[in-house]
Amino acid sequence: LYCPECNHSLNGVKESSSFQEIFDSKKEEPMTQSESFSEISEELPEVDHSTLAKSTLKVKKISTLSLLFLGTLGLLFFLTKGIIWWISELKTPAHPSQKNVHSTSSQSQKNTIPAPIEAPLLSQFHSRRSFTKKLPKGKIKWSYQTQGRIAVKAAYANNLVYVASEDQWVYALDPKGHLKWKYKTGGEISSSPFVDSELVFVGSTDHFLYALEASTGRLKWQFLTSDALYSSPLVWKGVVYIGGHDQYVYAIDAKTGQEKWKTKLQASNFSSPILYDSHIIITDTQGSLYLIELSKGTIQSQFKTPLGKPIYATPTISKGYIYVPSSDNYLYTLEYKSFKKLSQLLLKGLFVSSPYVDEKMLYMGSNTGMFYAIDTKQSSIEWAFSTQAEILSSPLVVENRIYFATMK
């Protein structure tokens, strides 16, 4: 007989036994497998727990050292990048006397203007220059009101201050601000007066150059050009030199007002001529700088800025170097004898006034309100000061103090 559920033999089971009793009796029977679980486990090799712990610790140490090594490499990488960036920021061009500094002969140079440099502000250099200390406020001793804007610097001679205004008048004031005399021209005056001995020379937008008696303001003579005069005159050894908007540079006899020679430029002129070593240097509105011989007006050398933008500011020359601010945002440094560019420094703004140069530094302001101090040996910005107002005047340095005016 066999169980209908599990097909187990029912032989020897009592008839009175119930199915449940039969099932329970069979559940209590021992396992018939040849080896029990405990017997199998006894045959497994014993694990050396101390060796396993040492191996685990060794792996952890190796992982920790690897992480420290990789972290150190990453830190060194970023430190190296930071040092390289810092050095590149501090790096400045060499002295202008060295060759191949910002060479204009590079064929890869593009005719585009890079973004202007954001110069370090003056407040970052308080410990480096004594004139950054707070100064006492100046007191106005006197003032004189004209009927127009005064856009050019005054001249002082014969114990008088000579001022030209856009109201067409030339004024002579005494040291107390009292009017000595005034003379009216036929147009606005954007030319600074030049005083030589007993005469005052000034140009006007009415196309005339005027020679006035310094003591009385009486007209001595006037010279007619073919366009407005924005350039300020220069007088040397009895000859007046002035550039015109008609593209000519004139040499005029200071006593008689007679023309000695005139030389045509490639474009109109705004800046004033400067004298150096028996030559005059003058610019035009197409980015050219000219070296002109005095006796006949022959152009001996010419430099042109790469972009050909106007040069409104009068250049400054010092120790054989010519410093030329241009409207292309660059300050150019040229060597006088060769008339070759030695360096160019990118700044911010339009420059219409002459720089001031002392032993080591160059100072000038721009129409953006930024006033710059530039190391002439390194051709780099030493510091900059923001006035937040246009600077159209040239600075003056006296006893380690800088004086300049703004439009506000």
Side-chain angles (χ1 to χ4, degrees):
L1 296 173
Y2 294 89
C3 175
E5 294 293 330
C6 60
N7 203 29
H8 195 279
S9 176
L10 299 178
N11 294 327
V13 177
K14 295 179 181 181
E15 294 181 1
S16 60
S17 300
S18 65
F19 179 81
Q20 184 64 39
E21 290 175 345
I22 296 171
F23 181 77
D24 292 339
S25 65
K26 296 302 177 182
K27 259 176 51 175
E28 293 173 359
E29 290 183 1
M31 294 179 62
T32 59
Q33 288 87 343
S34 61
E35 294 178 343
S36 67
F37 178 78
S38 61
E39 290 174 343
I40 294 173
S41 62
E42 287 177 357
E43 295 179 1
L44 293 175
E46 293 185 1
V47 178
D48 189 346
H49 293 285
S50 62
T51 303
L52 180 61
K54 289 179 181 179
S55 300
T56 304
L57 182 61
K58 187 175 181 180
V59 171
K60 288 182 177 179
K61 286 182 178 179
I62 293 173
S63 301
T64 303
L65 289 174
S66 300
L67 289 174
L68 287 174
F69 178 73
L70 292 174
T72 304
L73 283 180
L75 181 62
L76 289 174
F77 173 75
F78 286 108
L79 283 175
T80 303
K81 285 192 69 176
I83 291 171
I84 292 172
W85 175 85
W86 180 69
I87 292 174
S88 66
E89 287 294 312
L90 293 180
K91 188 177 180 181
T92 54
H95 188 274
S97 61
Q98 297 183 6
K99 296 181 180 180
N100 299 327
V101 179
H102 300 289
S103 173
T104 55
S105 61
S106 174
Q107 296 181 356
S108 63
Q109 184 174 7
K110 297 181 180 180
N111 289 335
T112 57
I113 301 177
I117 291 175
E118 291 293 341
L121 293 179
L122 180 63
S123 59
Q124 300 177 16
F125 295 89
H126 276 184
S127 61
R128 298 176 61 177
R129 297 206 163 266
S130 61
F131 57 75
T132 60
K133 296 179 181 179
K134 187 176 180 180
L135 300 176
K137 292 184 178 180
K139 295 181 179 179
I140 299 175
K141 296 193 69 173
W142 56 261
S143 63
Y144 185 89
Q145 183 66 50
T146 67
Q147 300 304 310
R149 189 176 69 158
I150 301 173
V152 293
K153 66 180 180 180
Y156 179 79
N158 308 316
N159 206 31
L160 292 175
V161 180
Y162 301 93
V163 182
S165 172
E166 291 183 354
D167 62 6
Q168 305 183 11
W169 290 86
V170 181
Y171 300 87
L173 309 174
D174 68 17
K176 293 184 179 181
H178 299 143
L179 180 65
K180 182 74 174 178
W181 57 258
K182 65 179 181 178
Y183 181 87
K184 188 176 183 180
T185 67
E188 294 182 356
I189 305 175
S190 298
S191 169
S192 297
F194 189 101
V195 184
D196 180 69
S197 186
E198 298 178 354
L199 294 176
V200 179
F201 302 93
V202 66
S204 175
T205 56
D206 64 0
H207 306 181
F208 280 99
L209 172 67
Y210 294 87
L212 309 175
E213 291 184 358
S215 57
T216 64
R218 186 165 26 192
L219 178 66
K220 183 74 174 179
W221 55 258
Q222 59 186 24
F223 178 84
L224 179 62
T225 67
S226 56
D227 208 334
L229 295 174
Y230 298 101
S231 170
S232 299
L234 167 71
V235 183
W236 176 250
K237 292 185 177 181
V239 180
V240 185
Y241 302 94
I242 191 169
H245 205 250
D246 57 5
Q247 303 186 18
Y248 280 98
V249 180
Y250 296 89
I252 304 162
D253 189 290
K255 290 184 178 180
T256 64
Q258 297 298 312
E259 179 184 303
K260 296 180 73 69
W261 54 258
K262 67 177 181 180
T263 298
K264 189 170 185 178
L265 308 177
Q266 292 180 350
S268 57
N269 162 262
F270 278 91
S271 71
S272 303
I274 57 174
L275 177 71
Y276 190 80
D277 192 24
S278 300
H279 293 81
I280 59 170
I281 298 170
I282 198 166
T283 69
D284 69 17
T285 53
Q286 289 186 358
S288 289
L289 183 76
Y290 302 88
L291 182 69
I292 301 176
E293 185 268 333
L294 291 181
S295 61
K296 296 182 180 180
T298 304
I299 297 175
Q300 294 192 337
S301 296
Q302 181 179 351
F303 166 79
K304 190 175 182 67
T305 59
L307 301 182
K309 298 290 184 178
I311 301 175
Y312 298 114
T314 299
T316 298
I317 188 165
S318 176
K319 298 180 180 180
Y321 297 112
I322 309 171
Y323 301 97
V324 188
S326 174
S327 62
D328 61 8
N329 295 339
Y330 281 98
L331 172 68
Y332 296 92
T333 302
L334 279 65
E335 200 273 328
Y336 166 74
K337 291 183 179 179
S338 63
F339 230 57
K340 291 182 179 180
K341 185 183 75 172
L342 301 175
S343 68
Q344 62 186 48
L345 178 64
L346 181 62
L347 302 173
K348 184 179 181 180
L350 175 68
F351 302 92
V352 297
S353 59
S354 301
Y356 181 97
V357 181
D358 61 15
E359 292 296 321
K360 297 181 180 180
M361 303 293 292
L362 178 148
Y363 306 99
M364 66 178 182
S366 76
N367 70 332
T368 62
M370 295 299 294
F371 187 87
Y372 292 96
I374 296 168
D375 187 324
T376 55
K377 290 185 178 180
Q378 299 296 327
S379 187
S380 61
I381 300 171
E382 182 75 3
W383 54 259
F385 177 77
S386 178
T387 65
Q388 299 181 351
E390 284 187 280
I391 303 173
L392 304 181
S393 67
S394 298
L396 176 66
V397 180
V398 180
E399 296 180 352
N400 210 30
R401 291 183 179 179
I402 305 172
Y403 301 88
F404 63 93
T406 70
M407 292 297 291
K408 217 187 231 187

